[in-house]
Amino acid sequence: MDERLERNKRFVAEFYDIIINQKDYEKAKAYMGPNYRQHNPLVKDNPEGLHEFIDFLRTNAPQAHSDIIRCFAEGDYVILHVHSIRQPGTRGRAIIEIFRLENGLIDEHWDVIQEIPADSANPNGMF
C-alpha cells in the first residue's frame, strides 16, 4: 500500500478522534489547512465553524463517542465509515465522513448521516 495513503488515513483518523472523542479544538487546529471548507449544512464554514461544533458537542453531547469501523484512501481523499453514539444506550448513527487533504492538511469535509433503525429489512447490519 502506498505510504502516503496510509499516512493520510492515520492523520484523518487522529483528527476525527480529536474532534469527536476528545472534543479538543486546540489540537484539531494543527490538522486543518488554511482554507478548511465545511460541506455539512448544519456546521458553519472555516475552522471557526468547526470550533463552534466542538463546543456544541462538549456542551450538548459530552459523552458522544465515535468508532471508526472502516477507513479508505484514494489520492487526496480519506473516507471513514463510522459508528457514532451521541447518547450512551442509544443505537446511534452510521456516518460516512469524507475528507480532502491538501499539502498534508485537511482542507475539506463532507458527511452523510443515517440513524440506525430498531428494525431492518435484512439481517446484515449497518457495519
Side-chain angles (χ1 to χ4, degrees), residues 12-84:
V12 168
E14 288 171 12
F15 176 71
Y16 196 74
D17 181 65
I18 289 166
I19 292 168
I20 303 299
N21 297 329
Q22 298 177 39
K23 299 166 190 60
D24 188 336
Y25 177 72
E26 291 305 312
K27 277 189 193 176
K29 285 192 308 189
Y31 290 74
M32 291 186 286
N35 302 313
Y36 178 80
R37 291 182 18 180
Q38 178 61 251
H39 294 276
N40 179 320
L42 302 177
V43 179
K44 291 181 184 175
D45 206 10
N46 301 311
E48 296 77 25
L50 184 61
H51 191 186
E52 287 181 17
F53 176 71
I54 292 171
D55 286 346
F56 170 84
L57 283 180
R58 196 178 303 112
T59 301
N60 298 292
Q63 296 180 8
H65 180 83
S66 290
D67 292 312
I68 297 170
I69 306 301
R70 292 175 186 83
C71 184
F72 308 92
E74 181 175 320
D76 292 328
Y77 291 87
V78 175
I79 301 169
L80 305 178
H81 184 201
V82 175
H83 185 193
S84 169

Side-chain angles (χ1 to χ4, degrees), residues 54-117:
I54 292 171
D55 286 346
F56 170 84
L57 283 180
R58 196 178 303 112
T59 301
N60 298 292
Q63 296 180 8
H65 180 83
S66 290
D67 292 312
I68 297 170
I69 306 301
R70 292 175 186 83
C71 184
F72 308 92
E74 181 175 320
D76 292 328
Y77 291 87
V78 175
I79 301 169
L80 305 178
H81 184 201
V82 175
H83 185 193
S84 169
I85 298 180
R86 284 261 176 106
Q87 300 299 327
T90 64
R91 286 183 296 281
R93 303 175 305 167
I95 303 177
I96 300 296
E97 304 275 3
I98 304 171
F99 297 90
R100 185 181 64 78
L101 287 81
E102 187 169 309
N103 298 319
L105 296 172
I106 297 168
D107 234 28
E108 240 172 320
H109 169 255
W110 299 260
D111 55 11
V112 180
I113 302 170
Q114 181 179 6
E115 296 292 328
I116 298 174

Side-chain angles (χ1 to χ4, degrees), residues 1-18:
M1 174 64 63
D2 182 340
E3 178 54 34
R4 182 177 65 91
L5 295 180
E6 289 301 314
R7 184 176 60 247
N8 286 351
K9 287 166 54 174
R10 284 190 304 273
F11 189 79
V12 168
E14 288 171 12
F15 176 71
Y16 196 74
D17 181 65
I18 289 166

